[in-house]
Amino acid sequence: MMFPTLKRSMPYTKFVGWMFLATVLVAFGASAEASLPSQVHLKEVAVFGKVGRLYPRSVEALRFSPDGQFVSAITAGGSFFTWSLRTRRQVSFEAYETSFPRAAALSGNHRLAMAQGLDGGNWIQVFDTRDGKELHGLEGTQDSDLRAIALSGEGSLLAAIADKGPPWLWDLSRKPRVRKLRGAKGRLRVVAVSEDGTRTVAAGEDGFVYVWNSRTGRLLKTLRGGERSIVSVAVSADGRWVLAGSEDAQARLWDLRTGKQVWSMEEEAIPIGAVALSGDGTRAVTSGKELQLWDLQQGSVLAESSSGPSPVVLSADNAFIAAGGYDAMWLMDTRSGHRFEFSLNGQMDAIAALVVSPDGKRAASSSQSASVRLWDMAGGTAQELASGREQPPMAVAFSQDGRKLLSASRDGLVRLWDPREPSTGRTLVKLPPEPTVLVTSPAGPYAVLSGSDGALRLWNLEEEKEVRRYGEEGGPAYYPVVFSADGKRLFAAREEHGVDVWEVETGQQVKRLEPSGYEVTSFAASGEVVAAGTRDGHIQLWKAQTLEPLFRLSGHEYGIRTVSLSGDGKWVLSVGEDWTVRLWDAKTGAQQAALGPQSNYDLPASAVFEPGGQSFLVGDNAGVIHRFVFEGQ
């Protein structure tokens, strides 16, 4: 017999980076081989849209939000991204215009500082990332390029070092005031400020670490770090502990109450290019040849990764490490060791959600540029329905009859359009904010909407009113949610709480499913099958009526971004955080094909089958949609 293959049929410059990965056939039972078709071809027949804005720059600074719900990154080019740790989805993007960028820093209360070099006036700008407003413009030294900057946790203090001269410390709590911190003898390379703002730390080429009282400007400690340059430094939230990494491949920890070195580690000839400390000083992250999380009290490694990116930051609960690189940010779950990649290319126009109308004539997509686009599938043209400085839409959906298009954004705003007259868009309802659930029934004029309050609301779209609720208000939020193909059941996932199944008409919960040890990230339903993609990269299939498990599909290296089922329930289509699109046989559980990019400029972000199940759409990170059809069946 012949294995299924992907066949290229038309060259296209915007899509030349995609390649067919080696076809993988995995048998999940004795019937797997017997039921496979003799040959399946996938043909790319259309490409819709123009390549969006791409931002290939290295990460300058990272920061977890104080509540542990989000992680943000700022790149050297001024691109600011925020992702939800729960959904692993990007929730905001902003492009900050800057000339001759040299350094950047983030605080825990939505402050962003960006420094420009001498050619840009040696100017430091401070912004509020919630609205993009510039709060301060600070002038640095006029005879030396700025090298590094740091912010305190609440953003009231900003420290900066230049290629020569002492550190500068600004008090931003009122009208900006600046002082020079005296006492350092060598050329400085790195700087940090404690979360509480009590200590400012700098280090550099002489191998010493200098610690100042931020309030008085007095030099408190001069710590010997080694014979080589210090290239990374971190200070605990309360200013008691200082961690430094050096070119001699060592990291050292000091207790500032005594000035004594209390811990050290040594790599194999690779400089410790980045370090991070937990708030209480009991955990440390070092990034050299390897990325390692340390228990400083026991001196043991709790988690590690084979590569050492820079910069690094540790979440307040020590559960996640965020690490930057070129074109990507990595998130590591310290409990499981799993790593997740977040691309920094084209994310402003990346297609986060993609749906097709029931008649197949239109598609709708949402992107991080806070836009909803309506696509004409015959002509390939797109109309932008919403854009600007609004919250990015997290979901889009067509009503069962295709006469309504809905979108839901992170702030809980649900909007409604008539696809035939898109200019008539209006607000349907305002829900509690993220995570916002939006899913429409395939068998009636209904939609389920939900915010962060734990209640699922069944809406009648014809009457535009709420008719029923599922779940308890005040409990953990549901995300994602899907109707069964007949519209009679509702499947809803909660983080670490499995999948709850309800009868739609009665509101009675009939069962709780446990797909795996990881949370569900995406749902799909078609025919007699319900599919759930999970954070650990698996896809679980159930029989929709009996809820009997069918298959657990394995192949993706990381979590599942989206999953889709063909209309006849025969095929499963998935997009993973490993940036591959995979096709599965829903009847046998066998993987049929895998499609992936060759570059960071056409990464698949979402995929969905069109009606009939003989074609599907793939949306990428540059805002482009690619259409594939089945041949030879």
Side-chain angles (χ1 to χ4, degrees), residues 537-603:
H538 294 95
I539 303 166
Q540 178 67 57
L541 304 185
W542 294 280
K543 290 184 178 180
Q545 295 301 318
T546 65
L547 304 180
E548 177 186 351
L550 291 172
F551 300 108
R552 191 166 184 256
L553 311 180
S554 301
H556 288 284
E557 292 186 28
Y558 306 117
I560 305 299
R561 297 175 64 88
T562 62
V563 62
S564 179
L565 280 162
S566 59
D568 56 8
K570 182 178 179 180
W571 301 103
V572 181
L573 187 68
S574 60
V575 178
E577 291 178 355
D578 57 1
W579 306 116
T580 64
V581 181
R582 297 176 187 264
L583 182 68
W584 315 79
D585 187 327
K587 304 297 183 182
T588 67
Q591 179 177 301
Q592 301 295 287
L595 183 69
Q598 287 182 324
S599 75
N600 284 338
Y601 301 95
D602 52 7
L603 303 176

Side-chain angles (χ1 to χ4, degrees), residues 21-201:
L21 304 180
T23 301
V24 180
L25 180 62
V26 182
F28 283 81
S31 62
E33 185 172 344
S35 61
L36 285 173
S38 60
Q39 188 173 12
V40 175
H41 295 286
L42 292 177
K43 177 182 178 182
E44 182 186 351
V45 296
V47 180
F48 305 132
K50 298 179 180 180
V51 173
R53 289 155 282 193
L54 302 175
Y55 305 92
R57 292 294 183 94
S58 59
V59 174
E60 285 291 312
L62 296 161
R63 168 72 71 157
F64 287 99
S65 62
D67 61 7
Q69 298 297 308
F70 304 96
V71 61
S72 298
I74 180 71
T75 72
S79 299
F80 177 74
F81 305 84
T82 298
W83 296 269
S84 166
L85 290 181
R86 168 169 159 66
T87 65
R88 307 289 197 273
R89 301 298 174 89
Q90 185 178 310
V91 295
S92 67
F93 173 89
E94 188 69 41
Y96 290 89
E97 298 294 335
T98 183
S99 302
F100 309 100
R102 291 301 303 269
L106 294 166
S107 75
N109 67 334
H110 310 286
R111 297 294 184 264
L112 162 66
M114 298 189 66
Q116 303 175 53
L118 280 173
D119 291 335
N122 243 23
W123 199 254
I124 301 175
Q125 295 171 284
V126 182
F127 300 91
D128 186 327
T129 59
R130 291 169 293 189
D131 56 15
K133 180 181 178 182
E134 183 175 344
L135 303 176
H136 304 288
L138 312 173
E139 187 176 5
T141 175
Q142 292 303 300
D143 61 354
S144 182
D145 267 323
L146 289 167
R147 175 182 285 270
I149 58 177
L151 283 164
S152 61
E154 78 290 349
S156 63
L157 292 178
L158 185 149
I161 56 173
D163 282 335
K164 59 183 179 180
W168 292 35
L169 184 66
W170 278 269
D171 183 346
L172 305 179
S173 57
R174 300 180 183 87
K175 183 179 180 180
R177 297 172 295 166
V178 64
R179 73 162 78 226
K180 293 182 180 180
L181 302 178
R182 306 290 184 178
K185 301 184 187 306
R187 186 181 182 187
L188 300 173
R189 297 182 62 173
V190 289
V191 65
V193 181
S194 62
E195 288 285 297
D196 63 6
T198 60
R199 298 292 182 264
T200 300
V201 179

Side-chain angles (χ1 to χ4, degrees), residues 202-217:
E205 295 181 355
D206 64 358
F208 285 92
V209 178
Y210 300 92
V211 183
W212 290 269
N213 182 310
S214 300
R215 184 177 62 84
T216 66

